[in-house]
């Protein structure tokens, strides 16, 4: 079980959280102008690094706020 | 307000007698029908002396807990421009826990540190107790657990289940 530092509630068990995938995926400025491939790339393609990964988490059993976290995908160490 | 209170039945009405059998190491009583107002505001609502508690649920979300029947008064009091106030009294019931073994009991089902050193009187936390989402509030007399009405029976049954295992306070 990971201990995840919620910016509002402090460190809590991983089971209180909801995972939101990669952080910083911007919504396309003009979605209608995208080709199907570009749209699919926006919807489904995500980085899968071995190492530090910036991702979204929601403290769903606590303050219910979303926040960003950098986690090392090899060690599960929270880097900030 | 809405329902005729004479016919209200608390979520733990049927478990009241069984909870009353606990004594000594842990005492559990339901405090039903508390007025609960959810306040969304960028600044904390002014805290209240006496029988009204303001619990911080998030950076811009607060739960004002008052005595039964105070809903209308609290709604009027906290209503302001840019502030959302919603009566959520029916959502949760309160379990008041006290006794020397109360922290030991909570530790069976809740992983956060409730030691007075880090969880002082008046502090509150939203967390999970026995797989149930709850608001835990530290009070002078012990702990108040605000639990959703539909989960209250489960939580009370869990307390009854765990309490024979308590070692402290005997």
């Amino acid at each position: 079980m990971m201990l995840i530092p919620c910016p509002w509630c402090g460190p809590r068990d991983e089971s209180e959280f909801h995972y939101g995938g990669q952080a910083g995926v911007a919504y396309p400025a003009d979605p209608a102008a995208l080709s199907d491939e570009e749209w699919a790339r926006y919807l489904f393609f995500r980085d899968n690094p071995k190492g530090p990964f910036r991702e979204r988490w929601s403290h769903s059993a606590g303050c219910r706020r979303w926040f960003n976290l950098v986690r090392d995908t090899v060690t599960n160490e929270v880097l900030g | 307000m809405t329902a005729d209170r004479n016919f209200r039945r608390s979520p733990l009405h049927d478990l009241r007698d069984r909870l009353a059998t606990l004594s000594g190491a842990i005492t559990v009583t339901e405090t039903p029908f508390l007025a609960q107002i959810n306040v969304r505001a960028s600044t904390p609502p002014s805290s209240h002396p006496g029988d009204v508690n303001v619990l911080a649920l998030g950076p811009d979300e607060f739960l004002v807990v008052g005595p039964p029947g105070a809903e209308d008064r609290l709604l009027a009091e906290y209503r302001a421009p840019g502030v959302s106030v919603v009566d959520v009294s029916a959502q949760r019931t309160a379990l008041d826990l006290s006794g020397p073994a109360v922290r030991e009991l909570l530790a069976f089902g809740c992983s956060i540190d409730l030691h007075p050193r880090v969880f002082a009187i008046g502090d509150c936390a939203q967390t999970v107790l026995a797989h149930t989402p709850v608001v835990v509030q530290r009070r002078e007399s012990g702990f108040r657990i605000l639990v959703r009405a539909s989960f209250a029976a489960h939580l009370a049954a869990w307390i009854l289940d765990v309490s024979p295992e308590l070692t402290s306070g005997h």
Side-chain angles (χ1 to χ4, degrees), chain B residues 35-80:
Chain B
Q36 294 163 67
I37 309 296
N38 186 282
V39 179
R40 299 297 300 264
S42 48
T43 51
S46 57
S47 70
H48 240 276
D51 54 0
V52 177
N53 288 222
V54 178
L55 310 182
L57 300 186
D60 60 354
E61 184 173 10
F62 304 88
L63 185 69
V64 179
V65 183
E71 291 90 348
D72 291 343
R73 169 168 71 89
L74 294 172
L75 281 172
E77 191 167 327
Y78 288 97
R79 189 169 283 133

Side-chain angles (χ1 to χ4, degrees), chain B residues 28 43 73 86 114 128 162:
Chain B
V28 182
T43 51
R73 169 168 71 89
V86 180
L114 298 174
V128 174
V162 168

Side-chain angles (χ1 to χ4, degrees), chain A residues 18-25 53-58 65-70:
Chain A
H18 198 87
Y19 185 61
Q22 181 179 355
V25 180
F53 188 37
R54 201 161 147 259
E55 54 199 11
R56 306 272 289 148
W57 286 89
S58 165
R65 295 312 184 275
W66 285 94
F67 59 95
N68 291 347
L69 193 75
V70 179

Side-chain angles (χ1 to χ4, degrees), chain B residues 8-158:
Chain B
R8 288 182 88 179
R9 199 179 152 85
S10 79
L12 294 178
H13 182 89
D14 294 334
L15 284 162
R16 203 173 280 170
D17 294 343
R18 289 185 63 199
L19 288 172
T21 62
L22 300 172
S23 60
I26 177 107
T27 312
V28 182
T29 48
E30 186 193 14
T31 309
F33 312 134
L34 290 172
Q36 294 163 67
I37 309 296
N38 186 282
V39 179
R40 299 297 300 264
S42 48
T43 51
S46 57
S47 70
H48 240 276
D51 54 0
V52 177
N53 288 222
V54 178
L55 310 182
L57 300 186
D60 60 354
E61 184 173 10
F62 304 88
L63 185 69
V64 179
V65 183
E71 291 90 348
D72 291 343
R73 169 168 71 89
L74 294 172
L75 281 172
E77 191 167 327
Y78 288 97
R79 189 169 283 133
V83 174
S84 151
V85 289
V86 180
D87 180 5
V88 294
S89 305
Q91 187 189 2
R92 299 184 184 92
T93 188
L95 277 171
D96 284 325
L97 277 57
S98 56
V102 64
R103 277 200 294 120
E104 190 191 352
L105 175 100
L106 294 174
F108 271 100
C110 174
S111 60
I112 65 171
D113 189 356
L114 298 174
H115 192 278
R117 193 172 53 230
V118 289
F119 201 72
I121 289 170
D123 283 359
C124 74
Q126 285 183 99
T127 185
V128 174
L129 175 61
H131 309 289
T132 309
V134 294
V135 182
V136 183
Q137 184 199 7
R138 173 90 204 192
R139 294 162 70 81
E140 269 171 51
S141 53
F143 289 88
R144 171 166 282 178
I145 312 290
L146 292 164
V147 59
R148 304 224 166 98
S150 52
F151 291 147
H154 162 77
L155 189 65
W158 176 83

Side-chain angles (χ1 to χ4, degrees), chain A residues 2-14 16-17 57-59 61-65 67 69 78, chain B residues 57-59 111-113 118-119 124-127:
Chain A
M2 287 200 292
L3 196 62
I4 296 176
C6 169
W8 302 108
C9 306
R12 297 292 182 91
D13 282 348
E14 174 192 355
E16 293 192 9
F17 293 84
W57 286 89
S58 165
H59 191 191
C63 59
R64 305 199 311 278
R65 295 312 184 275
F67 59 95
L69 193 75
V78 175
Chain B
L57 300 186
S111 60
I112 65 171
D113 189 356
V118 289
F119 201 72
C124 74
Q126 285 183 99
T127 185

